[in-house]
Amino acid sequence: MRITLVGQPNCGKSTIFNHVAGYKAITSNFPGKTVKYSISKMTFQGMTSDIVDLPGSYSMTSFDLAELEARKYLLREKIDVVINVIDASLLGRGLELTLQLLELNLPTVICLNMIDEAEAKGIIIDTDKLSRLLGVPIVTTIAHKGWGLNKLFETAFKVGQKSAKSESLNFSKDVEQVIKDLSEDIKKTDYTEKFNVPHRFLATKLLENDQDFIDEIKKKDTEFIKTVQGYQHQLEQCRDRSSDEVVSSERHHLSMQLYESVVKLSKPKKEIRNYLDSVLMHPVFGYISLVVIMYLFFNFVFYVGAIFEEPLLDFFYQFLPYAEETLGADSLLYHIVSGVVQGLAGGIAIVLPFLFPFLLGLAFLEDTGYLPRVAYLMDTFLHRIGLHGKAIIPLILGYGCTVPAVMATRILESERDRFITSVLTTMIPCAARITIIFGLVAFYLGPKAAIFVFVFNIIVVAIAGKILSNIMPEITPGMILEIPAYHVPSIKILLSKVWLRMKEFIVIAWPLLIIGSVVLSLLKHWNLEGFINQLISPVTLLLGLPVAVGVTLIFGVLRKELSMVMLVQALGVANISTVMSSTQIMTFTIFVLFYVPCVATIAVLIKEIGSKRTLFAIIFTFLIAIILATITRFVY
Amino acid sequence: MIVSLTDVKSGSKVRVARIKGGLGIRQRLNCLGIHSGDVMLLQKSGFMRGPVLVNIHGNQVALGRGIATKILVEVD
Ligand SMILES: Nc1nc2c(ncn2[C@@H]2O[C@H](COP(=O)(O)OP(=O)(O)OP(=O)(O)O)[C@@H](O)[C@H]2O)c(=O)[nH]1
Ligand SMILES: [Mg+2]
């Protein structure tokens, strides 16, 4: 059996998915986190099933790649049960998607999630009545607390076993008649089999001018398109509006009618969060708050990290003299042992102390719902570099990891915006590079220097954005973004999310770090290191860096953490400031910040924007890195 | 009086009269619950050519300047 979670963005689908699949899909409080479906096995009371988490979509017409993915999955894959998740606090709007899902005639259960939010807004829903009107079972839930989810899956399995098909609801008589007539014409063709959708669904979509279906039919059958246009014309005549508007306003009215007949409104609760936006989105205080929040975030990461970095480094490095004594400084074994120790030390002492607080802070901001507010505040600035506010979301996620950030560009509507934003996200310091900024710049040159690096980075990204949008001048479609209510994050979900992201570091980066360190040790042992450094010396000499740094730049392409962690080893000292001047440390950081994305990023870039444009991104960022680092060498 | 959404003061209640622009923008606004005939509250008018914030059916939606100019509304 295959159960599929469908619903509008930010209604809690992934939270429900994670409840039965383990924390696998990232959840946060802004629309459009899930951009790719995930599938998992689940068992419930001895029964097993597949469960699929789809990206959110506002309607069955898709406007961005994430919505398109959801639509494709719904229309093309075999689905045994649809769980239509609705944010109960936005019931009226949610029902518009529900009405379209019912037209698909699939076994359906409705999950009215966020009942707590609805109550806070004073919305009380008569679920029995709604269930009768829609003809499908309804379960109420509070997903992040797990409340009601057992009942939900019990119902889903029951519906799946009975395979009870949903029925569509009817619009006003005159509109319904046109839909019926078109349906009859569709029945005479093989389009319902071809597209694998019921004829009524196809009829309404065609009347709505659904681009995908129309284009597909246009290719072979212009005759049929004429028939469709005839019906569209009929609709236009009876309502004096374009046919897509007629259908969507019918749906809107039907939803509103349903909403009004099942909802009792009472007084909304008085809560502090209702007043937060008058400060956080204020034309003046909004920006001040943004700066203050970022500053607090920075200090949190820096002070937590600094407490742990030094004692941990000392702890690991105390073993080295001991190993040198017993194994002999020139022995192969000593080189391997010291490689392993330094790899371990790099992971535990340099990366983790900063990575954990950083990811925790990011998760906190994501779950409260602050990010869409930042998008709102930044929209006007992003317009000046030819993008719009929504692009800030991938850019902020870029501070976590570039790979999901590049994927998050799927929430942008235009291809050009996706390309520009993808290139820019690769220049945002990801958690790995942030540990470099903290572990190297803040640690040796002080927190002010680190803040300078972050601010400088933002300026460079803005200028790069301006350059790219001048190369590709096109007007961006403009922002349409829902600003969800603030939530108090759940500690358990925060920690699960941090763990999911750290796991990536622990299982992929760390082994690489240890292997990398051993390889470097072996290179040193066989005196091959010098050869590689020689190859890279044009860069290191230009930047005025110690030649020994060269090899770390190669490793940095694998994983950005490697370049700093291995710097310690390549230079052969625990305290870098003894062999590198402040200028050199800054130059190195600026170079590593921008040069060539890591392998994982290159892979995802190829998938999202194609290999030619990826090559462009690589060259573009490399040039920026070289130019800026050279300047740093002479002016810092 | 019919004006564009960008010409309305913060805090005013307006009724959507018409959505200019093509099918794409109209459908996208429809999806977020904004249809002609709907009443919405303009919570924040844009500053520095920034986006406007509207409250529609109890939900906040931010609309970029370019989009907001295409929404014609009735004010009384
Ligand atoms: N108050 C409240 N919050 C919830 C509830 N269910 C989920 N949330 C929170 O709502 C936010 C959105 O949940 P997600 O599961 O990420 O939503 P989604 O439907 O997967 O969203 P997209 O992938 O963007 O379509 C998260 O911060 C959740 O913790 C609920 O019942 N009540
Ligand atoms: Mg999701």
Side-chain angles (χ1 to χ4, degrees):
Chain A
M1 186 139 81
R2 179 168 292 182
I3 299 176
T4 306
L5 293 158
V6 191
Q8 296 191 326
N10 213 34
C11 62
K13 300 171 294 299
S14 301
T15 310
I16 297 175
F17 175 80
N18 288 344
H19 183 82
V20 288
Y23 197 96
K24 277 187 194 150
I26 292 286
T27 57
S28 316
N29 187 15
F30 59 83
K33 297 144 304 247
T34 310
V35 291
K36 220 182 116 192
Y37 75 83
S38 16
I39 185 163
S40 171
K41 290 246 176 295
M42 66 170 281
T43 46
F44 178 78
Q45 298 179 348
M47 295 170 281
T48 57
S49 164
D50 285 340
I51 178 144
V52 182
D53 177 32
L54 291 186
S57 50
Y58 286 109
S59 88
M60 291 297 295
T61 310
S62 38
F63 299 104
D64 58 44
L65 292 179
E67 284 188 318
L68 187 65
E69 165 116 346
R71 172 184 159 123
K72 272 196 198 145
Y73 194 94
L74 264 175
L75 299 187
R76 302 218 179 123
E77 302 290 325
K78 190 179 145 14
I79 293 167
D80 300 292
V81 185
V82 168
I83 295 184
N84 173 206
V85 187
I86 301 179
D87 175 348
S89 69
L90 295 171
L91 179 65
R93 195 189 75 194
L95 284 172
E96 295 194 24
L97 176 66
T98 305
L99 291 177
Q100 299 176 56
L101 289 173
L102 292 177
E103 289 179 350
L104 288 174
N105 301 134
L106 293 167
T108 304
V109 182
I110 288 179
C111 165
L112 273 184
N113 190 34
M114 303 215 191
I115 280 294
D116 54 334
E117 290 289 315
E119 247 164 52
K121 272 193 179 174
I123 299 173
I124 296 155
I125 302 165
D126 181 346
T127 46
D128 290 334
K129 187 170 179 196
L130 185 60
S131 166
R132 246 180 297 127
L133 291 171
L134 296 174
V136 292
I138 296 183
V139 183
T140 51
T141 59
I142 302 176
H144 68 307
K145 295 196 175 134
W147 189 86
L149 295 182
N150 274 344
K151 175 99 186 292
L152 174 67
F153 283 102
E154 205 173 284
T155 316
F157 274 97
K158 243 188 244 154
V159 169
Q161 277 150 4
K162 273 197 301 201
S163 122
K165 302 239 183 317
S166 68
E167 293 288 336
S168 50
L169 271 63
N170 286 345
F171 294 151
S172 327
K173 253 201 190 127
D174 48 346
V175 177
E176 198 61 40
Q177 191 56 48
V178 178
I179 295 178
K180 268 216 186 80
D181 294 344
L182 177 55
S183 295
E184 288 305 319
D185 281 344
I186 290 174
K187 275 186 204 161
K188 290 180 210 144
T189 67
D190 60 351
Y191 289 126
T192 48
E193 288 83 41
K194 196 169 157 226
F195 296 126
N196 187 28
V197 292
H199 42 81
R200 188 184 192 279
F201 177 82
L202 187 57
T204 43
K205 279 294 149 204
L206 289 176
L207 290 172
E208 260 184 294
N209 244 329
D210 182 280
Q211 225 48 54
D212 292 342
F213 285 136
I214 298 258
D215 287 348
E216 199 59 35
I217 294 175
K218 226 184 221 160
K219 276 188 214 153
K220 295 190 201 91
D221 197 352
T222 42
E223 212 36 50
F224 194 72
I225 290 292
K226 282 209 187 99
T227 318
V228 172
Q229 279 164 350
Y231 285 115
Q232 285 180 348
H233 200 66
Q234 263 186 41
L235 270 191
E236 270 153 33
Q237 300 248 294
C238 56
R239 291 297 161 89
D240 198 23
R241 279 171 165 189
S242 65
S243 66
D244 69 284
E245 258 186 304
V246 176
V247 176
S248 90
S249 68
E250 277 295 316
R251 204 176 278 134
H252 182 53
H253 285 140
L254 189 50
S255 308
M256 279 307 172
Q257 258 173 24
L258 287 166
Y259 176 84
E260 272 153 27
S261 69
V262 299
V263 164
K264 264 213 300 280
L265 287 177
S266 63
K267 250 202 151 82
K269 273 194 217 157
K270 272 213 160 31
E271 292 177 296
I272 314 172
R273 61 171 173 172
N274 300 342
Y275 304 99
L276 273 180
D277 278 337
S278 47
V279 178
L280 296 182
M281 291 174 84
H282 187 273
V284 178
F285 302 124
Y287 293 96
I288 296 176
S289 318
L290 178 62
V291 171
V292 170
I293 289 170
M294 290 305 149
Y295 183 73
L296 290 177
F297 186 11
F298 173 89
N299 277 292
F300 170 68
V301 177
F302 176 69
Y303 287 108
V304 172
I307 295 173
F308 294 102
E309 178 168 355
E310 206 166 343
L312 284 172
L313 268 180
D314 290 346
F315 172 78
F316 281 101
Y317 278 88
Q318 76 188 11
F319 293 110
L320 288 181
Y322 175 73
E324 190 173 343
E325 217 169 87
T326 44
L327 301 171
D330 289 331
S331 70
L332 178 64
L333 193 61
Y334 167 69
H335 279 285
I336 294 176
V337 169
S338 78
V340 171
V341 169
Q342 295 184 52
L344 270 176
I348 296 179
I350 307 182
V351 180
L352 284 187
F354 296 107
L355 189 63
F356 179 77
F358 172 74
L359 291 178
L360 189 66
L362 182 68
F364 180 81
L365 287 184
E366 286 175 349
D367 285 16
T368 51
Y370 188 56
L371 298 195
R373 271 84 187 174
V374 181
Y376 173 82
L377 292 171
M378 297 307 287
D379 183 64
T380 167
F381 299 109
L382 285 161
H383 262 292
R384 301 202 176 146
I385 63 167
L387 294 172
H388 70 73
K390 252 198 213 169
I392 202 75
I393 288 178
L395 290 175
I396 293 179
L397 295 181
Y399 285 101
C401 173
T402 317
V403 174
V406 168
M407 287 180 60
T409 58
R410 292 187 184 185
I411 62 172
L412 300 176
E413 301 81 0
S414 92
E415 196 192 327
R416 160 195 174 270
D417 286 15
R418 281 199 295 277
F419 166 66
I420 295 181
T421 313
S422 299
V423 176
L424 297 184
T425 52
T426 67
M427 296 165 61
I428 295 281
C430 59
R433 282 171 276 173
I434 286 177
T435 59
I436 299 183
I437 300 175
F438 278 106
L440 211 56
V441 177
F443 193 71
Y444 291 110
L445 311 181
K448 279 210 190 95
I451 291 183
F452 164 77
V453 173
F454 281 110
V455 174
F456 179 68
N457 172 263
I458 292 173
I459 297 170
V460 173
V461 169
I463 296 173
K466 185 88 198 157
I467 295 173
L468 289 177
S469 61
N470 280 347
I471 298 176
M472 299 175 80
E474 187 184 304
I475 294 166
T476 96
M479 176 174 70
I480 300 183
L481 178 67
E482 201 186 337
I483 311 280
Y486 289 104
H487 290 171
V488 178
S490 123
I491 305 279
K492 200 180 134 208
I493 290 180
L494 280 186
L495 291 176
S496 317
K497 181 149 78 169
V498 170
W499 172 240
L500 180 70
R501 287 172 173 166
M502 292 244 291
K503 225 166 48 189
E504 154 84 16
F505 168 74
I506 291 171
V507 301
I508 298 175
W510 212 336
L512 263 178
L513 210 65
I514 296 174
I515 295 170
S517 296
V518 173
V519 169
L520 183 57
S521 285
L522 292 177
L523 289 177
K524 275 191 170 176
H525 181 70
W526 290 316
N527 289 325
L528 288 171
E529 189 204 11
F531 172 69
I532 297 175
N533 283 333
Q534 210 56 49
L535 280 181
I536 306 173
S537 62
V539 174
T540 41
L541 287 179
L542 174 67
L543 303 183
L545 295 173
V547 177
V549 166
V551 61
T552 66
L553 296 177
I554 298 273
F555 281 102
V557 178
L558 284 180
R559 289 282 307 197
K560 295 278 174 169
E561 296 96 336
L562 295 188
S563 40
M564 174 192 45
V565 172
M566 298 185 46
L567 188 62
V568 178
Q569 193 186 351
L571 296 171
V573 288
N575 186 344
I576 290 171
S577 62
T578 55
V579 284
M580 276 170 84
S581 66
S582 339
T583 309
Q584 286 178 318
I585 290 179
M586 190 53 107
T587 310
F588 177 79
T589 307
I590 296 289
F591 185 73
V592 171
L593 203 53
F594 295 106
Y595 91 116
V596 182
C598 72
V599 225
T601 305
I602 294 178
V604 73
L605 278 176
I606 291 178
K607 224 173 94 201
E608 299 291 321
I609 63 176
S611 43
K612 257 199 212 132
R613 292 180 157 192
T614 304
L615 187 65
F616 170 83
I618 294 174
I619 296 170
F620 184 69
T621 50
F622 185 75
L623 284 179
I624 289 184
I626 283 280
I627 294 169
L628 293 178
T630 315
I631 296 175
T632 312
R633 173 192 177 178
F634 292 109
V635 300
Y636 184 76
Chain B
M1 192 180 49
I2 293 190
V3 291
S4 128
L5 189 57
T6 43
D7 300 330
V8 182
K9 271 211 299 283
S10 305
S12 31
K13 257 207 170 118
V14 298
R15 180 185 293 276
V16 180
R18 201 157 68 81
I19 298 169
K20 285 194 297 189
L23 174 88
I25 165 168
R26 191 169 60 225
Q27 286 186 337
R28 269 173 28 160
L29 289 170
N30 285 174
C31 286
L32 279 152
I34 302 173
H35 304 75
S36 17
D38 286 353
V39 175
M40 58 188 188
L41 175 71
L42 185 74
Q43 285 187 325
K44 287 182 199 302
S45 61
F47 44 91
M48 292 196 307
R49 304 196 51 75
V52 304
L53 186 70
V54 298
N55 191 309
I56 176 96
H57 307 303
N59 183 30
Q60 291 187 327
V61 179
L63 302 169
R65 198 90 192 162
I67 305 275
T69 44
K70 292 193 177 120
I71 303 177
L72 299 183
V73 296
E74 232 173 278
V75 269
D76 31 39

